[in-house]
Amino acid sequence: MSTLIEYPQGPQAVEELAAISPLVDNFLHLIAFDTQADENQCAAPSTPGQLTALKWVHDKIVAYAQATGRSDYKLWQNAQGVLILQLPPTAGCDAAAHLLLLAHIDTAPDCSGKDVKAQVVKAYRGGDIALSSGLRLTTTLCPELKAHVGEDILVTDGTTLLGADDKAGCAVLLTLIQQALHEEFAHGPLSFAFTVDEEIGRSADYVPLEDIGANFGVTIDGCAQGELDVATFNAASCKLTVHGRAIHTGTAYGKLINAVKLASSLVLQLPENQAPESTRDKEGFYHVYKVQGTVEEAQVQLILRDYTKEGLQARKDYISHLAAAMNAQYSDSVSVEFTDQYVNMGAILQQKPQILALCRQAYAQAGVEVHENWVRGGTDGSNLSARGLPCPNIFTGALNCHGPYECLPLGAFHKSLACTQALIKLASKADLTSTTPA
């Protein structure tokens, strides 16, 4: 029996969705901007398109405020480009803790985000989706699609990513801002941050927590419906520099030391069953992602991941042991440099569980089954939590991010908005300063 094939519809069908959903309308405006981050640039943000998109966001917020006659807000942008909106509490919510909601405007370097052409599968029936470029989004590649039969699903034309990571989160924030400025729900002190360069690991450093003064935070970022990210890896990078000795091959006997071969030997001594392609769930890994060099000098670059600090330290110790053994044989030929990247936010959230308790309640109120997830990577919440802002992550509904197979089921997208709105309402009544869960 042949596989059912779904064929997306083009601009008119997409525009019809935008006309009936402010959330979808905001998203479609945002993906029109090319905001791909660039790790090779030192500017903050790394690409000018991010500032262009944030200028549009800024003007949209001002227009929302003007439509309601509101002037009791603070809207500002810091030197790195982060756009922040702060709203005072509504009547009777002055004692509530200060909640910060975050989403990032940049898209991943992995795939182009220029000239994104969104299409829509109307009332998805459960088959493979034939993208315009000839690529096929299959249910084997994305089994999560099976949970979204009957929903409208935004897809790409197969030549770019969609940008739902994390313009879907930005669209949620914009929609909530419009609702909050219209005073559609009660809230305590409330801040929104549209961040930059998250995809290249810089955004958490750019968020001015001291100036915002929030007690708790939540990122709204790409993942499947129902996911609540409560823990991440501890992460470090490692650079091994191997020094050889170049001698003419005709007289090399007993003298030449080949740095490339020594670097290869180090890589081969890493446990094969502790690589990303052979680990899952809560298993950590070593990942070699770049090797380059000559006989004279070679470099091996790795990332190390583990859910416990002790496990990460053990991985560092093992690599240091390999280097020491080689140095004993080849006279200090290897140097090792470790750089800590982010920490497991789970430990911080366990110490201050109030925000997680509220997230669980918010999911329940929105009719969403919660799936608490240990991220096999990091989030902005990792480093923000380490900086003192307990910060789990709420789903957007986006699937297959960072490439042309990316898609956004609109039912899940609207559920993300519903969960976040419920969280704001619950936080307006909760004592988040207590030492016990709400």
Side-chain angles (χ1 to χ4, degrees), residues 96-233:
H98 187 165
L99 181 63
L100 170 63
L101 302 174
L102 308 100
H104 64 89
I105 197 70
D106 62 304
T107 58
D110 311 56
C111 183
S112 174
K114 183 179 181 181
D115 298 328
V116 174
K117 297 177 178 64
Q119 300 181 348
V120 61
V121 177
K122 298 285 290 183
Y124 175 65
R125 295 173 296 162
D128 295 348
I129 299 173
L131 304 178
S132 300
S133 67
L135 298 179
R136 183 171 293 185
L137 175 55
T138 68
T139 54
T140 300
L141 179 66
C142 187
E144 297 89 350
L145 282 172
K146 298 173 184 177
H148 299 286
V149 172
E151 294 182 32
D152 295 338
I153 301 177
L154 288 177
V155 297
T156 76
D157 68 351
T159 63
T160 69
L161 49 67
L162 181 62
D165 181 11
D166 186 32
K167 290 174 182 175
C170 291
V172 167
L173 296 196
L174 264 178
T175 308
L176 289 167
I177 287 168
Q178 182 181 28
Q179 295 173 346
L181 286 169
H182 279 84
E183 299 184 326
E184 294 184 17
F185 49 78
H187 61 81
L190 190 58
S191 291
F192 301 84
F194 297 84
T195 65
V196 299
D197 287 339
E198 188 270 353
E199 296 290 359
I200 56 176
R202 302 176 188 172
S203 59
D205 294 335
Y206 295 161
V207 178
L209 293 183
E210 297 78 9
D211 297 327
I212 296 172
N215 303 108
F216 293 86
V218 174
T219 52
I220 318 298
D221 207 345
C223 53
Q225 177 174 319
E227 285 190 16
L228 174 61
D229 295 329
V230 301
T232 60
F233 274 136

Side-chain angles (χ1 to χ4, degrees), residues 21 41 61 66 100 129-130 165 198 216 298 317 342 384 411 417:
S21 170
Q41 300 298 319
I61 293 170
Q66 289 175 343
L100 170 63
I129 299 173
D165 181 11
E198 188 270 353
F216 293 86
D317 291 345
Y342 53 83
L384 292 173
L417 175 65

Side-chain angles (χ1 to χ4, degrees), residues 4-304:
L4 177 67
I5 305 296
E6 306 272 6
Y7 294 94
Q9 300 178 39
Q12 182 176 345
V14 173
E15 289 171 6
E16 289 172 356
L17 290 174
I20 60 175
S21 170
L23 178 64
V24 174
D25 184 58
N26 283 332
F27 175 69
L28 293 172
H29 276 90
L30 287 167
I31 64 174
F33 298 97
D34 181 7
T35 62
Q36 186 177 36
D38 185 352
E39 62 184 346
N40 297 313
Q41 300 298 319
C42 297
S46 63
T47 51
Q50 297 181 62
L51 292 177
T52 304
L54 289 173
K55 175 64 166 58
W56 181 86
V57 172
H58 173 280
D59 293 347
K60 190 77 169 177
I61 293 170
V62 171
Y64 287 156
Q66 289 175 343
T68 61
R70 294 279 296 269
S71 60
D72 58 338
Y73 65 90
K74 181 180 180 182
L75 180 61
W76 52 288
Q77 194 167 23
N78 72 357
Q80 290 78 28
V82 180
L83 182 66
I84 298 132
L85 172 69
Q86 296 185 280
L87 297 176
T90 54
C93 298
D94 302 72
H98 187 165
L99 181 63
L100 170 63
L101 302 174
L102 308 100
H104 64 89
I105 197 70
D106 62 304
T107 58
D110 311 56
C111 183
S112 174
K114 183 179 181 181
D115 298 328
V116 174
K117 297 177 178 64
Q119 300 181 348
V120 61
V121 177
K122 298 285 290 183
Y124 175 65
R125 295 173 296 162
D128 295 348
I129 299 173
L131 304 178
S132 300
S133 67
L135 298 179
R136 183 171 293 185
L137 175 55
T138 68
T139 54
T140 300
L141 179 66
C142 187
E144 297 89 350
L145 282 172
K146 298 173 184 177
H148 299 286
V149 172
E151 294 182 32
D152 295 338
I153 301 177
L154 288 177
V155 297
T156 76
D157 68 351
T159 63
T160 69
L161 49 67
L162 181 62
D165 181 11
D166 186 32
K167 290 174 182 175
C170 291
V172 167
L173 296 196
L174 264 178
T175 308
L176 289 167
I177 287 168
Q178 182 181 28
Q179 295 173 346
L181 286 169
H182 279 84
E183 299 184 326
E184 294 184 17
F185 49 78
H187 61 81
L190 190 58
S191 291
F192 301 84
F194 297 84
T195 65
V196 299
D197 287 339
E198 188 270 353
E199 296 290 359
I200 56 176
R202 302 176 188 172
S203 59
D205 294 335
Y206 295 161
V207 178
L209 293 183
E210 297 78 9
D211 297 327
I212 296 172
N215 303 108
F216 293 86
V218 174
T219 52
I220 318 298
D221 207 345
C223 53
Q225 177 174 319
E227 285 190 16
L228 174 61
D229 295 329
V230 301
T232 60
F233 274 136
N234 295 290
S237 65
C238 173
K239 181 169 72 173
L240 294 168
T241 302
V242 184
H243 303 283
R245 182 189 299 142
I247 301 291
H248 190 286
T249 54
T251 57
Y253 182 80
K255 302 173 186 177
L256 184 146
I257 299 176
N258 191 325
V260 173
K261 290 176 67 176
L262 295 185
S264 300
S265 174
L266 286 170
V267 170
L268 290 173
Q269 292 180 74
L270 297 173
E272 290 187 15
N273 63 347
Q274 295 184 41
E277 62 271 28
S278 55
T279 54
R280 59 184 177 179
D281 301 328
K282 296 181 181 180
E283 299 170 331
F285 58 74
Y286 305 86
H287 177 49
V288 179
Y289 67 91
K290 188 174 185 180
V291 180
Q292 60 183 0
T294 64
V295 170
E296 188 73 25
E297 182 177 294
Q299 285 189 348
V300 179
Q301 292 179 263
L302 310 91
I303 58 174
L304 314 178

Side-chain angles (χ1 to χ4, degrees), residues 27 152-155 162 164 168 396-399 406-413:
F27 175 69
D152 295 338
I153 301 177
L154 288 177
V155 297
L162 181 62
T396 63
L399 303 172
E406 185 179 4
C407 62
L408 181 62
L410 295 186
F413 189 23

